[in-house]
């Protein structure tokens, strides 16, 4: 059975003997449109022009360009490589058959053949080809869906930046990378000052808006594609900066603090300013095997509390010296 979605399939029949083409045309004309070619060059032209044939019946023994060479050229062209090719030949030795399969033929038919056999083989290979195409398409769709799901699973649903789960994953990866490269790794944590007061004063809807604005602000301040920022929980954010030393971390921490001030989100319940501010802590180290990734996060967190203790709307950081 021919796939009904395809319409009437067309078959390119390549043979230097017109009589052989006539025999194949007789066998197949009921179900297929036959496009004849008497030499390799013409065959390649027909194969490459749209609409392309659905299948190719290819004679091996031809003067100038033989069937093997036609096959090689078809395989070298991505636009026609997937058209199934069946070799049709008088040769019945195993070697030429193997050579045909090695070159990418899907089947091998030796002359003389019965009409029923050629019809069955052509129909089978068209079906197989359709089934494979369908499967490839389904796989692609499935992959796209699973990529999307994974992406969604990594995002914080309110702010749209990465969530804690994704942060944990990236931290493991970047920690290992830094360990291998003997490179510095920095963590920055930021917390919105007097956020409970903000929520109490303006309500939770405004509170959520504030979180989104701050999240976008922090995210757009990142410099390099490998830098990532996540919502760590509540009104706390965290960034991983791979290959970044203490100077780089300090620059970004201060940039974060200044950029959030520049948002100028009114905050009547803040004791430090009339607008929303953040306190920031950062820490840098070159990982060694005796350390755990969360040690670095813990130190950055301590630095954040130091910023809070020093009056908020400021940054504090520490470079952790190597120990073994
Ligand atoms: Mg021939």
């Amino acid at each position: 059975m021919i796939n009904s979605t395809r319409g009437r399939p067309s078959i390119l029949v390549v043979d230097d003997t017109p009589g052989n083409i006539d025999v194949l045309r007789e066998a197949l004309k009921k179900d297929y449109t036959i496009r004849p070619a008497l030499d390799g060059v013409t065959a390649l032209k027909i194969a490459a022009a749209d609409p392309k044939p659905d299948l190719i019946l290819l004679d091996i023994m031809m003067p100038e360009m033989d069937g093997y060479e036609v096959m090689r050229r078809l395989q070298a062209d991505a636009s026609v490589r997937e058209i199934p090719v069946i070799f049709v030949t008088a040769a019945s030795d195993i070697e030429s058959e193997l050579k045909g399969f090695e070159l990418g033929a899907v089947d091998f038919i030796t002359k003389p053949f019965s009409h029923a056999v050629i019809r069955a083989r052509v129909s089978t290979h068209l079906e197989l080809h359709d089934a494979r195409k369908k499967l490839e398409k389904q796989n692609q769709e499935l992959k796209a869906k699973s990529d999307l799901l994974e992406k969604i699973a990594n995002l914080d649903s309110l702010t749209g930046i990465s969530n804690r789960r994704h942060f944990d994953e990236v931290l493991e990866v970047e920690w290992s990378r830094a360990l291998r490269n003997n490179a510095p790794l920095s963590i920055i944590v930021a917390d919105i000052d007097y956020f409970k007061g903000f929520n109490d004063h303006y309500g939770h809807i405004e509170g959520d808006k504030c979180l989104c604005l701050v999240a976008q602000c922090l995210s757009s301040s990142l410099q390099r594609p490998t830098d990532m920022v996540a919502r760590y929980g509540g009104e706390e954010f965290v960034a991983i900066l791979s290959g970044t030393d203490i100077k780089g971390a300090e620059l970004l921490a201060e940039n974060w603090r200044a950029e959030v001030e520049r948002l100028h989100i009114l905050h009547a319940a803040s004791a430090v300013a009339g607008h929303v501010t953040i306190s920031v802590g950062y820490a840098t180290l070159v990982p060694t095997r005796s350390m755990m990734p969360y040690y670095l996060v813990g130190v950055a967190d301590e630095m954040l509390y130091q910023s809070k203790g020093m009056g908020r709307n400021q940054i504090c950081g520490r470079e952790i010296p190597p120990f073994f």
Side-chain angles (χ1 to χ4, degrees), residues 156-194:
D156 173 56
S157 56
L158 174 68
T159 60
I161 64 171
S162 288
N163 57 22
R164 168 110 187 223
R165 178 183 164 280
H166 192 216
F167 169 80
D168 290 340
E169 276 177 18
V170 174
L171 181 59
E172 288 290 335
V173 171
E174 292 304 335
W175 182 272
S176 302
R177 192 202 309 275
L179 196 58
R180 273 199 312 278
N181 298 343
N182 196 33
L185 185 67
S186 292
I187 293 285
I188 306 182
V189 289
D191 187 271
I192 300 175
D193 296 321
Y194 300 107

Side-chain angles (χ1 to χ4, degrees), residues 22-42:
D22 291 341
V23 172
L24 288 164
R25 192 200 303 274
E26 256 334 286
L28 297 166
K29 68 179 182 191
K30 186 169 158 281
D31 297 314
Y32 308 100
T33 301
I34 305 301
R35 297 159 76 184
L38 287 165
D39 60 82
V41 174
T42 309

Side-chain angles (χ1 to χ4, degrees), residues 89-159:
T89 179
S92 58
D93 60 298
I94 300 262
E95 223 165 274
S96 29
E97 229 174 282
L98 280 179
K99 190 171 173 190
F101 284 125
E102 268 167 27
L103 287 172
V106 296
D107 209 347
F108 206 94
I109 300 172
T110 49
K111 294 178 237 179
F113 44 75
S114 79
H115 285 194
V117 164
I118 195 102
R119 275 198 292 268
R121 295 221 169 152
V122 164
S123 151
T124 300
H125 284 294
L126 283 172
E127 271 180 53
L128 275 175
H129 185 68
D130 279 347
R132 216 188 63 214
K133 286 267 133 208
K134 218 173 182 178
L135 211 61
E136 272 170 20
K137 190 161 168 271
Q138 282 171 347
N139 277 343
Q140 276 169 5
E141 285 167 3
L142 218 58
K143 169 92 172 52
K145 274 182 197 162
S146 103
D147 286 354
L148 183 65
L149 276 179
E150 194 184 326
K151 209 171 156 194
I152 290 169
N154 284 337
L155 295 184
D156 173 56
S157 56
L158 174 68
T159 60

